[in-house]
Amino acid sequence: MEAYKQEFIEFMVDCQVLKFGDFTLKSGRKSPFFMNAGGYVTGSQLMGLGEYYAKAIHDTYGDDFDVLFGPAYKGIPISVATAIAYSKLYGKEVRYCLDRKEEKDHGADKGGFLGSKLKDGDRVIMIEDVTTSGKSMEETVPKVKGAANVEIVGLIVSLNRMEKGLGGKVSALDEIKEKYGFDANAIVTMADVIEHLYNRPYKGQVYIDDTLKAAIDAYYEVYGA
């Protein structure tokens, strides 16, 4: 596993964004782990988050893209932070575009988007926090495709939960690739998280012990892809 991925796992734990215990997800599933990107609340945390996303995008997709698209709401700060980080780390200026939940009907920036306008020929990378079922793409992809003749290069999320998507057969990220025809990747997977934290103390604490590992295994017996 690349060093930045190990650092990112520790970063999520430090920021209390990745938690372990007993959680009910939006999908109704009962999960022994939970990731909430809304937990990044300081300037230094957002700066670090943007750099991890930028490194993952550079590793996965290279530099051949024009726009980072962050769906409302959690994708908004992530895409902005990543655009800043990409300029800093790789010297490439990329634009960012965001969508609104409700269209603005007045002013110079009226419409359904914020940031840079999408233009014909743009190569777009979608940015999300986490994809459990892939449902968010059902709303976002038609918006982006409807705005201009763009190519969606791929999607990047923080964590691949490695569980079944809406179809109930393959993972949400694989389902997105099958349905929309673009790659979907994550900075880290839950397999990476388990490999790095299982029975391995971090700052004096074991986050995934035998009991929690058994709960995660049981969860994946039902929902794993």
Side-chain angles (χ1 to χ4, degrees):
M1 193 192 322
E2 294 90 334
Y4 80 86
K5 293 187 176 186
Q6 297 178 32
E7 293 167 6
F8 181 61
I9 293 166
E10 294 170 1
F11 176 74
M12 287 193 290
V13 171
D14 287 340
C15 295
Q16 298 184 340
V17 165
L18 178 61
K19 297 182 178 182
F20 303 97
D22 186 16
F23 306 94
T24 301
L25 306 179
K26 186 177 181 180
S27 61
R29 297 173 181 176
K30 302 281 188 181
S31 173
F33 58 92
F34 183 66
M35 201 220 81
N36 174 27
Y40 298 113
V41 294
T42 70
S44 63
Q45 288 174 348
L46 286 170
M47 181 170 63
L49 180 64
E51 290 182 0
Y52 287 118
Y53 266 90
K55 289 175 183 176
I57 289 169
H58 188 264
D59 269 9
T60 307
Y61 299 114
D63 285 335
D64 188 16
F65 67 96
D66 308 292
V67 183
L68 297 172
F69 187 89
Y73 289 103
K74 289 177 183 175
I76 291 175
I78 300 173
S79 62
V80 173
T82 305
I84 295 168
Y86 216 91
S87 175
K88 174 187 170 186
L89 293 177
Y90 304 110
K92 177 181 172 68
E93 292 286 16
V94 294
R95 292 146 44 217
Y96 74 88
C97 180
L98 323 166
D99 69 337
R100 304 176 191 265
K101 289 290 188 183
E102 302 84 19
E103 288 208 9
K104 185 179 178 184
D105 61 2
H106 62 280
D109 62 343
K110 67 180 180 180
F113 297 93
L114 285 167
S116 173
K117 289 186 177 180
L118 295 172
K119 301 181 295 189
D120 289 350
D122 276 341
R123 290 171 58 80
V124 179
I125 290 178
M126 314 281 275
I127 289 186
E128 280 267 41
D129 58 337
V130 65
T131 297
T132 301
S133 66
K135 187 171 176 58
S136 61
M137 288 293 106
E138 289 186 348
E139 302 172 4
T140 307
V141 171
K143 275 188 181 180
V144 172
K145 292 277 195 178
N149 184 20
V150 304
E151 178 186 351
I152 299 177
V153 176
L155 164 71
I156 194 90
V157 301
S158 292
L159 177 67
N160 180 357
R161 290 183 56 99
M162 300 174 62
E163 57 193 82
K164 298 171 187 174
L166 293 175
K169 293 180 181 179
V170 298
S171 75
L173 293 185
D174 286 340
E175 207 167 72
I176 287 167
K177 184 173 182 178
E178 288 180 2
K179 186 171 184 178
Y180 301 109
F182 55 79
D183 280 338
N185 294 280
I187 303 176
V188 293
T189 67
M190 267 309 293
D192 294 330
V193 172
I194 293 165
E195 176 188 332
H196 190 61
L197 294 179
Y198 177 45
N199 278 343
R200 180 179 296 174
Y202 173 62
K203 293 186 176 178
Q205 181 175 346
V206 173
Y207 286 89
I208 302 179
D209 58 13
D210 289 337
T211 301
L212 187 65
K213 175 66 163 55
I216 293 173
D217 289 346
Y219 181 78
Y220 278 126
E221 284 180 15
V222 180
Y223 299 115

